[in-house]
Amino acid sequence: NMIAAYNSNLEEGMLAVIDMEYSVDRTKLSSAKIVKNPKADLICATVEKDKIVFYITEYKSTENGFGVSLKEHYDDMTMYYDDIRIKKHLIKTLQERLKYGLIGCNKKIANIINDLAVDNIDVKLLFLFSDSADYREKKKNVLSRGYSYIFEKSKSDDISVEYAYINKIELGCLKKAILRDFEKEGMFELV
């Protein structure tokens, strides 16, 4: 809730939270490969070169979350992130948030949002982390395995997935978060 409340302005290159605990009934989606109801912790959006990019976001801040469930969440998110009905729903959600003043942005971005269509948006996956200081070293091997799995699967699946770390949950904290790509032989940079 605090991350969403503190990050509601949509700007070029800056993430804004447009929805939380996002869920869609799988029976309403067009893909047979979706075997359970999709659910994302957060839906974030940004503007990149006058194009809206949505991030289906999994947020991790607990010791358990930093590791064992990374593979499962990646697999779950890849099932539904590019479904046409999800894309339409993301557009509708953003347009409603703008209409009711729940998202702030300048007039140029508002015009982009009002004219959105499925073929002029991108949808990516994002793992967002915070509060790792207490157990980052203890979970190093588990984190490394999760990182390797996501790197390898995202490359073979040809899916755009990134990660970011929030040092402190505060006003504009997502503006300070650096989106990082998964790199070969890499590890999470939780700094």
Side-chain angles (χ1 to χ4, degrees):
N1 287 331
M2 290 173 60
I3 293 171
Y6 288 154
N7 296 277
S8 60
N9 286 324
L10 186 57
E11 301 174 36
E12 181 81 31
M14 302 295 181
L15 289 176
V17 177
I18 66 161
D19 208 352
M20 299 183 319
E21 298 299 328
Y22 180 84
S23 184
V24 177
D25 183 347
R26 72 180 175 91
T27 61
K28 295 180 181 177
L29 301 174
S30 58
S31 176
K33 72 178 184 174
I34 301 172
V35 295
K36 55 185 171 180
N37 290 342
K39 182 175 168 270
D41 293 330
L42 301 169
I43 300 295
C44 297
T46 191
V47 182
E48 293 178 3
K49 299 176 187 169
D50 294 336
K51 187 173 189 172
I52 300 292
V53 179
F54 292 96
Y55 284 92
I56 308 288
T57 306
E58 184 63 32
Y59 173 59
K60 297 293 181 195
S61 65
T62 65
E63 182 171 352
N64 187 48
F66 272 85
V68 293
S69 61
L70 294 179
K71 296 177 189 181
E72 179 183 341
H73 286 299
Y74 170 82
D75 290 338
D76 288 349
M77 291 190 297
T78 59
M79 268 190 260
Y80 66 86
Y81 86 101
D82 66 346
D83 186 282
I84 189 77
R85 293 182 192 173
I86 291 281
K87 291 178 179 181
K88 289 178 180 177
H89 194 263
L90 291 172
I91 291 169
K92 180 181 174 192
T93 300
L94 180 56
Q95 289 171 336
E96 286 177 351
R97 299 301 190 268
L98 177 65
K99 178 181 176 181
Y100 295 113
L102 300 172
I103 294 291
C105 63
N106 65 35
K107 188 163 181 63
K108 178 183 174 187
I109 294 173
N111 289 336
I112 293 170
I113 292 169
N114 288 325
D115 294 335
L116 281 179
V118 169
D119 32 335
N120 65 359
I121 66 166
D122 282 332
V123 180
K124 300 179 179 181
L125 305 181
L126 176 66
F127 284 89
L128 180 64
F129 299 99
S130 73
D131 304 304
S132 71
D134 294 338
Y135 41 81
R136 179 174 41 212
E137 289 305 313
K138 190 161 59 168
K139 287 287 189 179
K140 194 169 188 173
N141 290 335
V142 176
L143 279 169
S144 179
R145 284 193 303 274
Y147 186 101
S148 297
Y149 179 84
I150 294 166
F151 171 78
E152 291 166 13
K153 284 288 287 174
S154 66
K155 297 308 173 217
S156 66
D157 296 341
D158 195 27
I159 293 175
S160 182
V161 60
E162 297 175 67
Y163 72 95
Y165 177 72
I166 301 170
N167 189 39
K168 182 178 178 186
I169 298 174
E170 60 187 349
L171 188 62
C173 58
L174 289 180
K175 290 181 181 183
K176 299 173 188 170
I178 299 168
L179 295 180
R180 293 180 163 99
D181 291 320
F182 286 77
E183 298 174 4
K184 186 171 176 55
E185 306 299 327
M187 290 192 66
F188 288 110
E189 293 179 53
L190 302 176
V191 291

